Amino acid sequence: MGLEEKLPSGILLTTVEKVAGYARKSSVWPATFGLACCAMELISTGGPRHDLARFGMERASNTPRQADLMIVAGRVSQKMAPVLRQIYDQMAEPKWVISMGVCASSGGMFNNYAIVQGVDHVVPVDIYLPGCPPRPEMLLDSILKLHDKIQNMKLGVNREREVDDLERARLRRLPLAAGLGGAPRGAHPGAAR
Ligand code: SF4
């Protein structure tokens, strides 16, 4: 009887996952990516009053190869989108993205052809932070939530299984609008009770 049968892999792997999660969440290095007014709040988060250094994150990296967190602070123009994607591609794995402010998350008030209507059209987003602009305290809160996510991230086959489950759940999701699969065509919500 081998060790594999004596020790269920779940117990062994959970411990490794916890250690790896703790190490990862305690050493997140952000890439500098201030695009508009939200960047002022991002910069002040690193100042002495809010003290991002408490989380080991005061080193804002100017090279994407030494960064694993992209904080997109401000609206993303169509011209900037390919640059943003290239920087994201150059960042080290595993990597995370915080979309800071309503402009980065949805285009905000800039509903026009020049602005990308949400940075999730360009890169996958882990945390959406609302506000115009979000206060540094809100950014710190989103960073803590991201830390929680990183701490509980699975590894190896467990991670693959989790990604598959999420994918299946997304495919099963029903459309919200009536007439697109939920209610029968032409039916009015208040009609023929
Ligand atoms: S959300 Fe507000 S503060 Fe942030 S970039 Fe847009 S307009 Fe500027």
Side-chain angles (χ1 to χ4, degrees):
M1 191 178 275
L3 185 66
E4 294 85 359
E5 284 130 358
K6 288 258 186 202
L7 283 175
S9 60
I11 294 171
L12 197 61
L13 200 58
T14 304
T15 310
V16 174
E17 277 175 346
K18 276 189 180 154
V19 172
Y22 183 76
R24 278 180 178 165
K25 79 154 193 175
S26 310
S27 58
V28 177
W29 281 359
T32 48
F33 215 82
L35 291 172
C37 12
C38 271
M40 296 303 115
E41 304 295 325
L42 171 61
I43 292 165
S44 73
T45 311
R49 186 180 173 89
H50 300 287
D51 195 13
L52 201 55
R54 281 177 290 169
F55 309 107
M57 293 178 63
E58 73 275 25
R59 184 197 169 279
S61 181
N62 285 313
T63 162
R65 291 176 183 84
Q66 292 166 5
D68 52 6
L69 170 63
M70 176 181 269
I71 302 176
V72 184
R75 54 194 168 268
V76 183
S77 65
Q78 298 286 357
K79 199 174 173 183
M80 185 54 94
V83 181
L84 187 144
R85 179 69 211 196
Q86 188 176 4
I87 290 177
Y88 176 81
D89 287 339
Q90 289 174 342
M91 283 165 57
E93 287 278 2
K95 51 197 167 189
W96 300 275
V97 176
I98 294 179
S99 170
M100 181 179 179
V102 67
C103 284
S105 299
S106 68
M109 68 196 88
F110 302 97
N111 186 8
N112 60 47
Y113 63 86
I115 300 297
V116 177
Q117 300 298 297
V119 71
D120 52 5
H121 290 280
V122 186
V123 291
V125 174
D126 295 281
I127 304 268
Y128 294 89
L129 176 55
C132 175
R135 295 268 309 137
E137 293 87 347
M138 294 167 73
L139 179 58
L140 287 175
D141 182 57
S142 73
I143 287 171
L144 289 177
K145 287 193 168 62
L146 182 67
H147 280 178
D148 197 36
K149 192 174 178 177
I150 296 171
Q151 169 77 68
N152 295 309
M153 202 172 131
K154 305 222 178 299
L155 294 179
V157 284
N158 287 352
R159 174 90 185 135
E160 282 166 23
R161 203 173 302 135
E162 187 183 36
V163 170
D164 283 349
D165 288 348
L166 278 171
E167 190 65 34
R168 263 198 295 277
R170 281 200 196 102
L171 288 173
R172 274 202 304 271
R173 202 182 287 162
L174 294 172
L176 294 175
L180 288 176
R185 229 165 221 264
H188 187 273
R193 291 258 164 102

